[in-house]
Amino acid sequence: MRYAAPTTTDEALELLRSDPDSQVFAGATDLIPQIRAGRPEPSLLVDLKRIERLVAVSRVNGAWTVGAATPTSALTANAEFSSTFPGLSEASGLIGSDQIQNRSSWGGNLCNASPAADSVPALIVNDARAVIACASGERTADVADIVTGPGETSLADGEFIIEFLLDNPPAGASDAYLRLIPRTEMDIAVVGAAVQLRLDGDSVASAKVALGAVAPTVVRVPAAEAALVGSTLDDAALAAAAAAASAACNPIDDKRGTIQYRRQVAGVLTRRAAQIAAQRAAEHPTAEQQEQGAN
Protein backbone atom coordinates (compact mmCIF):
# COMPACT_ATOMS: atom_id res chain seq x y z
CA MET A 1 0.00 0.00 0.00
CA ARG A 2 1.35 3.39 -1.05
CA TYR A 3 0.72 6.73 0.64
CA ALA A 4 0.50 10.17 -0.98
CA ALA A 5 -0.13 13.60 0.51
CA PRO A 6 -0.94 16.03 -2.33
CA THR A 7 -1.01 19.78 -1.70
CA THR A 8 -3.58 20.72 -4.38
CA THR A 9 -6.94 19.34 -5.48
CA ASP A 10 -5.62 18.87 -9.03
CA GLU A 11 -2.76 16.75 -7.73
CA ALA A 12 -5.18 14.67 -5.66
CA LEU A 13 -7.47 14.12 -8.67
CA GLU A 14 -4.50 13.04 -10.80
CA LEU A 15 -3.42 10.53 -8.15
CA LEU A 16 -6.91 9.07 -7.99
CA ARG A 17 -7.08 8.80 -11.79
CA SER A 18 -3.73 7.04 -11.85
CA ASP A 19 -4.89 4.15 -9.68
CA PRO A 20 -8.43 2.72 -9.81
CA ASP A 21 -7.85 1.06 -6.42
CA SER A 22 -6.91 4.31 -4.67
CA GLN A 23 -8.83 5.86 -1.79
CA VAL A 24 -8.87 9.30 -0.24
CA PHE A 25 -9.11 10.00 3.47
CA ALA A 26 -9.70 13.17 5.46
CA GLY A 27 -8.70 11.92 8.91
CA ALA A 28 -8.52 8.11 8.75
CA THR A 29 -10.40 7.72 12.03
CA ASP A 30 -12.75 5.27 10.28
CA LEU A 31 -10.39 3.99 7.60
CA ILE A 32 -7.68 2.60 9.88
CA PRO A 33 -10.06 0.62 12.15
CA GLN A 34 -11.80 -0.76 9.05
CA ILE A 35 -8.50 -1.98 7.59
CA ARG A 36 -7.51 -3.50 10.92
CA ALA A 37 -10.88 -5.27 11.02
CA GLY A 38 -10.13 -6.98 7.72
CA ARG A 39 -11.39 -4.68 4.99
CA PRO A 40 -9.19 -4.98 1.87
CA GLU A 41 -6.42 -2.41 1.76
CA PRO A 42 -6.45 0.10 -1.10
CA SER A 43 -3.30 0.10 -3.21
CA LEU A 44 -2.94 3.87 -2.75
CA LEU A 45 -4.04 6.09 0.13
CA VAL A 46 -4.43 9.79 -0.67
CA ASP A 47 -4.26 12.04 2.41
CA LEU A 48 -6.26 15.25 1.90
CA LYS A 49 -5.11 17.10 5.01
CA ARG A 50 -2.12 18.71 3.27
CA ILE A 51 -4.38 20.64 0.88
CA GLU A 52 -4.82 24.11 2.35
CA ARG A 53 -8.33 24.63 1.02
CA LEU A 54 -9.53 21.42 2.66
CA VAL A 55 -8.51 22.51 6.16
CA ALA A 56 -9.51 26.19 5.95
CA VAL A 57 -12.47 27.84 7.73
CA SER A 58 -13.77 31.27 6.71
CA ARG A 59 -16.84 33.47 6.89
CA VAL A 60 -17.46 36.09 4.22
CA ASN A 61 -20.65 38.16 3.84
CA GLY A 62 -22.73 35.88 6.02
CA ALA A 63 -21.60 32.62 4.42
CA TRP A 64 -19.29 30.03 5.94
CA THR A 65 -16.84 27.82 4.07
CA VAL A 66 -15.46 24.84 5.98
CA GLY A 67 -12.80 22.61 4.47
CA ALA A 68 -13.87 18.98 4.26
CA ALA A 69 -10.76 17.80 6.13
CA THR A 70 -10.89 20.46 8.85
CA PRO A 71 -10.51 18.77 12.26
CA THR A 72 -13.77 18.94 14.19
CA SER A 73 -11.81 20.20 17.20
CA ALA A 74 -11.06 23.37 15.20
CA LEU A 75 -14.79 23.95 14.76
CA THR A 76 -15.83 23.34 18.35
CA ALA A 77 -13.03 25.65 19.49
CA ASN A 78 -14.19 28.40 17.12
CA ALA A 79 -16.37 30.64 19.31
CA GLU A 80 -17.95 32.48 16.37
CA PHE A 81 -18.86 29.26 14.58
CA SER A 82 -20.21 27.63 17.74
CA SER A 83 -22.33 30.69 18.52
CA THR A 84 -23.76 30.74 15.00
CA PHE A 85 -24.40 26.97 14.74
CA PRO A 86 -24.57 25.66 18.34
CA GLY A 87 -26.26 22.39 17.37
CA LEU A 88 -23.85 21.67 14.54
CA SER A 89 -20.94 22.47 16.85
CA GLU A 90 -22.36 20.07 19.46
CA ALA A 91 -22.75 17.33 16.87
CA SER A 92 -19.17 17.88 15.67
CA GLY A 93 -17.92 17.59 19.24
CA LEU A 94 -19.51 14.16 19.67
CA ILE A 95 -17.38 12.41 17.04
CA GLY A 96 -15.12 10.19 19.12
CA SER A 97 -12.72 11.31 21.83
CA ASP A 98 -10.80 14.57 22.14
CA GLN A 99 -7.86 12.90 20.40
CA ILE A 100 -10.03 11.60 17.57
CA GLN A 101 -11.49 15.08 17.02
CA ASN A 102 -8.03 16.38 16.17
CA ARG A 103 -8.25 14.14 13.09
CA SER A 104 -11.97 13.63 12.40
CA SER A 105 -13.72 15.85 9.87
CA TRP A 106 -17.12 16.51 8.32
CA GLY A 107 -15.90 15.11 5.02
CA GLY A 108 -14.89 11.82 6.59
CA ASN A 109 -17.97 11.63 8.83
CA LEU A 110 -20.24 12.16 5.82
CA CYS A 111 -18.47 9.97 3.27
CA ASN A 112 -18.00 7.05 5.66
CA ALA A 113 -21.79 6.91 5.17
CA SER A 114 -22.73 5.53 8.56
CA PRO A 115 -26.45 5.94 9.34
CA ALA A 116 -25.38 7.04 12.84
CA ALA A 117 -22.95 9.80 11.80
CA ASP A 118 -23.46 12.65 14.28
CA SER A 119 -22.62 15.64 12.09
CA VAL A 120 -24.87 14.69 9.16
CA PRO A 121 -28.36 15.41 10.62
CA ALA A 122 -27.08 18.75 11.91
CA LEU A 123 -25.55 19.61 8.54
CA ILE A 124 -28.80 18.75 6.79
CA VAL A 125 -31.06 20.94 8.97
CA ASN A 126 -28.64 23.81 8.31
CA ASP A 127 -28.97 23.31 4.52
CA ALA A 128 -25.26 22.57 4.08
CA ARG A 129 -23.90 22.08 0.57
CA ALA A 130 -20.81 20.15 -0.45
CA VAL A 131 -18.35 21.36 -3.08
CA ILE A 132 -17.05 18.25 -4.85
CA ALA A 133 -13.86 17.83 -6.88
CA CYS A 134 -14.67 15.96 -10.07
CA ALA A 135 -13.25 15.23 -13.51
CA SER A 136 -14.81 18.37 -15.01
CA GLY A 137 -13.58 20.62 -12.17
CA GLU A 138 -16.06 21.18 -9.34
CA ARG A 139 -19.73 20.63 -8.68
CA THR A 140 -21.98 21.42 -5.71
CA ALA A 141 -24.57 19.13 -4.11
CA ASP A 142 -26.77 19.26 -1.03
CA VAL A 143 -25.33 17.25 1.85
CA ALA A 144 -28.69 15.49 2.04
CA ASP A 145 -28.03 13.99 -1.41
CA ILE A 146 -24.54 12.59 -0.72
CA VAL A 147 -25.24 9.42 1.30
CA THR A 148 -27.37 6.84 -0.54
CA GLY A 149 -27.11 3.91 1.88
CA PRO A 150 -24.89 2.38 4.57
CA GLY A 151 -21.33 2.76 3.32
CA GLU A 152 -22.54 4.15 -0.02
CA THR A 153 -22.48 7.67 -1.46
CA SER A 154 -23.46 9.43 -4.68
CA LEU A 155 -19.83 10.41 -5.35
CA ALA A 156 -18.36 8.94 -8.52
CA ASP A 157 -15.01 7.15 -8.55
CA GLY A 158 -12.23 9.67 -8.16
CA GLU A 159 -14.45 12.38 -6.66
CA PHE A 160 -14.00 13.83 -3.19
CA ILE A 161 -15.47 16.69 -1.14
CA ILE A 162 -13.39 19.86 -1.04
CA GLU A 163 -15.44 22.00 1.34
CA PHE A 164 -18.85 22.67 2.83
CA LEU A 165 -20.92 25.82 2.36
CA LEU A 166 -23.26 27.15 5.05
CA ASP A 167 -25.28 30.34 5.17
CA ASN A 168 -25.70 32.17 8.46
CA PRO A 169 -29.08 31.28 9.96
CA PRO A 170 -31.74 33.92 9.36
CA ALA A 171 -32.67 36.28 12.18
CA GLY A 172 -34.50 34.45 14.95
CA ALA A 173 -33.21 31.00 14.01
CA SER A 174 -31.01 28.46 15.77
CA ASP A 175 -30.39 24.72 15.98
CA ALA A 176 -29.85 21.84 18.39
CA TYR A 177 -28.60 18.27 18.19
CA LEU A 178 -29.20 15.47 20.68
CA ARG A 179 -28.30 11.80 20.63
CA LEU A 180 -28.78 8.78 22.85
CA ILE A 181 -25.85 6.46 23.50
CA PRO A 182 -25.48 3.54 25.95
CA ARG A 183 -22.35 5.04 27.52
CA THR A 184 -21.61 8.57 28.69
CA GLU A 185 -19.26 9.32 25.77
CA MET A 186 -17.27 7.85 22.86
CA ASP A 187 -20.11 5.71 21.54
CA ILE A 188 -22.26 5.42 18.44
CA ALA A 189 -25.71 7.00 18.45
CA VAL A 190 -28.69 4.73 18.98
CA VAL A 191 -30.73 7.70 17.76
CA GLY A 192 -29.68 11.24 16.83
CA ALA A 193 -32.02 14.19 16.30
CA ALA A 194 -31.25 17.60 14.81
CA VAL A 195 -33.71 20.49 14.74
CA GLN A 196 -33.45 24.02 13.38
CA LEU A 197 -36.23 26.50 14.16
CA ARG A 198 -36.90 30.09 13.15
CA LEU A 199 -39.17 32.10 15.43
CA ASP A 200 -41.44 35.00 14.59
CA GLY A 201 -42.31 36.39 17.97
CA ASP A 202 -43.52 33.44 20.03
CA SER A 203 -44.49 31.31 17.04
CA VAL A 204 -42.41 28.94 14.94
CA ALA A 205 -42.07 30.39 11.44
CA SER A 206 -40.07 27.51 9.94
CA ALA A 207 -38.71 24.18 11.12
CA LYS A 208 -36.33 21.50 9.94
CA VAL A 209 -36.05 18.07 11.58
CA ALA A 210 -33.58 15.29 10.68
CA LEU A 211 -32.98 11.95 12.38
CA GLY A 212 -29.92 9.71 12.36
CA ALA A 213 -29.41 6.01 13.19
CA VAL A 214 -33.07 5.17 12.54
CA ALA A 215 -32.88 4.24 8.83
CA PRO A 216 -30.29 3.41 6.16
CA THR A 217 -29.70 7.16 5.68
CA VAL A 218 -30.53 10.30 7.65
CA VAL A 219 -34.29 10.91 7.58
CA ARG A 220 -35.82 14.35 7.09
CA VAL A 221 -39.25 14.52 8.79
CA PRO A 222 -41.62 16.92 6.99
CA ALA A 223 -44.60 15.87 9.13
CA ALA A 224 -42.75 16.83 12.32
CA GLU A 225 -41.76 20.14 10.74
CA ALA A 226 -45.37 20.85 9.78
CA ALA A 227 -46.52 20.08 13.31
CA LEU A 228 -44.13 22.68 14.72
CA VAL A 229 -44.68 25.49 12.19
CA GLY A 230 -47.27 28.00 13.35
CA SER A 231 -47.23 26.70 16.92
CA THR A 232 -45.86 28.22 20.09
CA LEU A 233 -44.30 24.83 20.89
CA ASP A 234 -47.25 23.96 23.07
CA ASP A 235 -47.66 20.42 24.34
CA ALA A 236 -49.97 19.42 21.49
CA ALA A 237 -47.53 20.59 18.80
CA LEU A 238 -44.57 18.93 20.47
CA ALA A 239 -46.50 15.69 20.91
CA ALA A 240 -47.50 15.74 17.23
CA ALA A 241 -43.89 16.37 16.16
CA ALA A 242 -42.68 13.54 18.38
CA ALA A 243 -45.27 11.15 16.96
CA ALA A 244 -44.31 12.12 13.41
CA ALA A 245 -40.63 11.53 14.17
CA SER A 246 -41.36 8.10 15.59
CA ALA A 247 -43.50 7.21 12.56
CA ALA A 248 -40.75 8.29 10.14
CA CYS A 249 -38.24 5.79 11.51
CA ASN A 250 -37.28 2.63 9.68
CA PRO A 251 -34.77 1.18 12.16
CA ILE A 252 -33.32 -2.26 12.75
CA ASP A 253 -33.22 -4.50 15.79
CA ASP A 254 -29.70 -4.98 17.09
CA LYS A 255 -27.83 -5.24 20.38
CA ARG A 256 -27.84 -1.44 20.71
CA GLY A 257 -31.60 -1.05 20.60
CA THR A 258 -34.86 -2.53 19.39
CA ILE A 259 -37.04 -1.07 16.66
CA GLN A 260 -39.67 -0.04 19.21
CA TYR A 261 -37.07 1.58 21.46
CA ARG A 262 -35.49 3.56 18.64
CA ARG A 263 -38.87 4.85 17.48
CA GLN A 264 -39.77 5.96 20.99
CA VAL A 265 -36.42 7.66 21.53
CA ALA A 266 -36.64 9.46 18.18
CA GLY A 267 -39.82 11.16 19.30
CA VAL A 268 -38.41 12.09 22.70
CA LEU A 269 -35.21 13.56 21.25
CA THR A 270 -37.10 15.50 18.57
CA ARG A 271 -39.28 17.11 21.22
CA ARG A 272 -36.31 18.02 23.41
CA ALA A 273 -34.17 19.29 20.54
CA ALA A 274 -37.03 21.50 19.32
CA GLN A 275 -37.34 23.09 22.74
CA ILE A 276 -33.60 23.74 22.93
CA ALA A 277 -33.47 25.19 19.42
CA ALA A 278 -36.37 27.50 20.20
CA GLN A 279 -34.77 28.72 23.41
CA ARG A 280 -31.54 29.47 21.55
CA ALA A 281 -33.39 31.21 18.72
CA ALA A 282 -35.07 33.49 21.25
CA GLU A 283 -31.98 34.22 23.34
CA HIS A 284 -29.02 34.26 20.98
CA PRO A 285 -28.66 36.62 18.00
CA THR A 286 -27.15 35.45 14.75
CA ALA A 287 -23.69 36.61 13.71
CA GLU A 288 -25.28 39.24 11.42
CA GLN A 289 -27.34 40.62 14.31
CA GLN A 290 -24.21 40.76 16.47
CA GLU A 291 -22.45 42.81 13.81
CA GLN A 292 -25.43 45.17 13.50
CA GLY A 293 -25.47 45.64 17.27
CA ALA A 294 -21.76 46.44 17.28
CA ASN A 295 -22.32 49.10 14.63
Side-chain angles (χ1 to χ4, degrees), residues 223-250:
E225 298 165 357
L228 296 172
V229 171
S231 77
T232 57
L233 291 187
D234 53 274
D235 287 344
L238 290 169
S246 295
C249 296
N250 182 26

Side-chain angles (χ1 to χ4, degrees), residues 8-287:
T8 68
T9 56
D10 287 343
E11 185 184 354
L13 285 168
E14 182 59 33
L15 285 164
L16 294 173
R17 282 194 292 264
S18 71
D19 188 336
D21 193 35
S22 58
Q23 183 174 343
V24 298
F25 70 92
T29 59
D30 290 305
L31 175 65
I32 298 303
Q34 289 167 355
I35 291 175
R36 288 176 173 171
R39 180 172 293 188
E41 294 183 359
S43 59
L44 171 64
L45 282 179
V46 181
D47 187 347
L48 300 178
K49 280 196 181 290
R50 302 285 182 87
I51 303 174
E52 184 176 354
R53 188 176 169 190
L54 270 80
V55 292
V57 179
S58 64
R59 185 176 73 84
V60 179
N61 297 326
W64 288 81
T65 302
V66 178
T70 301
T72 50
S73 59
L75 298 174
T76 57
N78 185 320
E80 184 181 16
F81 174 84
S82 297
S83 175
T84 305
F85 303 100
L88 182 51
S89 179
E90 288 168 342
S92 303
L94 292 173
I95 302 172
S97 64
D98 291 346
Q99 294 89 339
I100 289 293
Q101 288 169 32
N102 289 323
R103 292 289 302 173
S104 63
S105 64
W106 286 353
N109 200 227
L110 175 63
C111 292
N112 187 52
S114 166
D118 285 305
S119 69
V120 180
L123 284 166
I124 287 174
V125 299
N126 281 289
D127 294 326
R129 289 92 64 204
V131 178
I132 301 163
C134 58
S136 60
E138 296 179 9
R139 64 182 180 90
T140 302
D142 291 339
V143 165
D145 295 331
I146 299 296
V147 178
T148 58
E152 300 176 349
T153 73
S154 60
L155 300 183
D157 289 343
E159 292 187 341
F160 61 89
I161 297 177
I162 300 171
E163 58 199 10
F164 294 89
L165 306 177
L166 290 152
D167 296 323
N168 269 345
S174 193
D175 66 334
Y177 176 78
L178 295 174
R179 73 173 184 181
L180 176 75
I181 58 174
R183 302 187 298 182
T184 57
E185 59 183 342
M186 290 177 60
D187 210 337
I188 300 170
V190 175
V191 178
V195 176
Q196 191 213 56
L197 297 180
R198 180 172 64 85
L199 301 183
D200 183 4
D202 293 331
S203 298
V204 177
S206 65
K208 302 185 186 78
V209 178
L211 302 173
V214 297
T217 64
V218 170
V219 176
R220 184 83 180 263
V221 193
E225 298 165 357
L228 296 172
V229 171
S231 77
T232 57
L233 291 187
D234 53 274
D235 287 344
L238 290 169
S246 295
C249 296
N250 182 26
I252 60 172
D253 270 320
D254 63 16
K255 63 182 179 181
R256 303 177 58 76
T258 64
I259 291 173
Q260 182 179 2
Y261 182 63
R262 282 191 162 102
R263 285 177 173 157
Q264 175 68 19
V265 170
V268 172
L269 293 187
T270 297
R271 180 185 186 118
R272 292 177 182 174
Q275 291 172 308
I276 295 169
Q279 182 179 6
R280 289 171 172 168
E283 294 179 353
H284 298 289
T286 64

